[in-house]
Amino acid sequence: QVQLVESGGELVQAGGSLRLSCAASGRTFSRAAVGWFRQAPGKEREYVGALRWSSGHTYYADTVKGRFTISKDAAKNTVYLQMNALKPDDTAVYYCAAGWNTILSQMSVPGGYPYWGPGTQVTVSS
């Protein structure tokens, strides 16, 4: 049974930084695709970025490119989302998701991932 748990969300001022973590249990991230998504109240779940664990390749939505960075720690079986220069529009619940059969074209859509964490709230005040 794969379980994902996000942590690190909190209230931060605009311009600040946060680092979110996504820890997996039940299976290592080896050869997985790990995605980050977010959902603001009244809006659809939005793609933030993704990591192909085996290659280390990362991909980002245009809205966060240059501000957010995804990284991994194999020893901790954890993926991180470093968020800098945060804006009020970044306020949302952030989710990590994983899939071991997720192909590149699926990495930016929620349906490409069978496993999801419960989410962590990020609130950016102006």
Side-chain angles (χ1 to χ4, degrees):
Q1 183 81 9
V2 176
Q3 290 189 323
L4 305 178
V5 178
E6 305 93 339
S7 61
E10 61 181 70
L11 173 64
V12 64
Q13 287 190 334
S17 298
L18 280 177
R19 189 179 77 162
L20 306 184
S21 300
C22 173
S25 61
R27 189 170 181 177
T28 68
F29 276 134
S30 177
R31 293 184 289 178
V34 182
W36 285 97
F37 293 80
R38 64 188 183 186
Q39 189 165 19
K43 295 187 177 181
E44 292 188 354
R45 194 162 295 190
E46 175 190 21
Y47 168 71
V48 173
L51 165 77
R52 175 68 69 183
W53 186 276
S54 56
S55 65
H57 288 162
T58 54
Y59 308 89
Y60 300 95
D62 288 343
T63 51
V64 305
K65 199 172 293 182
R67 299 189 297 125
F68 291 11
T69 303
I70 298 173
S71 62
K72 65 181 183 179
D73 184 329
K76 296 182 178 180
N77 203 35
T78 297
V79 174
Y80 301 100
L81 178 66
Q82 176 68 42
M83 306 187 294
N84 298 329
L86 283 162
K87 307 174 182 179
D89 284 350
D90 295 318
T91 295
V93 177
Y94 282 71
Y95 300 90
C96 70
W100 279 259
N101 297 305
T102 304
I103 62 176
L104 181 59
S105 63
Q106 298 171 320
M107 289 175 67
S108 61
V109 295
Y113 299 91
Y115 300 102
W116 289 80
T120 186
Q121 176 71 48
V122 172
T123 303
V124 184
S125 64
S126 58

